Amino acid sequence: QVQPVESGGGSVQAGGSLTLSCEASGYTYSRYYCMGWFRQAPGKEREAVASIDLRGATIYADSVKGRFTISRDNGKHTLYLQMNSLKPEDAAMYYCAAVSVCTSLKSSDYFPVGQGTQVTVSS
C-alpha cells in the first residue's frame, strides 16, 4: 500500500497563499469517507484544520474559516487545502488525515496518512 504524498508546502510572507495537495492511491482514498488536514507547530498541540466528506460537506476550525478552503477530487484521489491570507500563526507542519468523525474538529479524530508538508509564514 503506497502512502499518500503531500505537497505544496513552502515559505511565504504574511498575506500570501499556498495550496496543499494530498495524493493517495485509489485504495487508500476510497477507504476514508471523510478526510481532512491537521497541523502541528513546534511546542504546540495538534490542531484540526478542516475536513470534507465524499459528498463535499466541509467543516473548518474557527482560526481558518474564511481563509482556507478544503476540497477533494475523487477522480484523482486527491485532497486539497487552499490557504489564503496566511498569518505567521498558520506556520506548522500540515498533515493529510483520515477523519473518524466527519463533523469533528477534535484532533484525536484526525489520523495522519502521510508524512506532512511544512508551511512557513514570515511577518
Side-chain angles (χ1 to χ4, degrees), residues 11-81:
S11 296
V12 295
Q13 290 191 325
S17 299
L18 286 172
T19 300
L20 307 184
S21 299
C22 172
E23 184 176 358
S25 68
Y27 172 76
T28 298
Y29 191 89
S30 63
R31 287 182 64 189
Y32 306 120
Y33 181 76
C34 195
M35 296 188 73
W37 295 89
F38 72 88
R39 63 188 181 187
Q40 188 159 25
K44 294 187 177 181
E45 293 188 356
R46 179 185 293 193
E47 180 187 12
V49 174
S51 73
I52 183 170
D53 67 22
L54 270 175
R55 298 174 303 170
T58 58
I59 186 170
Y60 295 92
D62 287 343
S63 58
V64 306
K65 204 172 290 184
R67 300 187 297 121
F68 290 12
T69 302
I70 189 171
S71 61
R72 63 194 296 175
D73 185 326
N74 296 332
K76 294 182 178 180
H77 306 143
T78 301
L79 180 72
Y80 302 96
L81 185 68

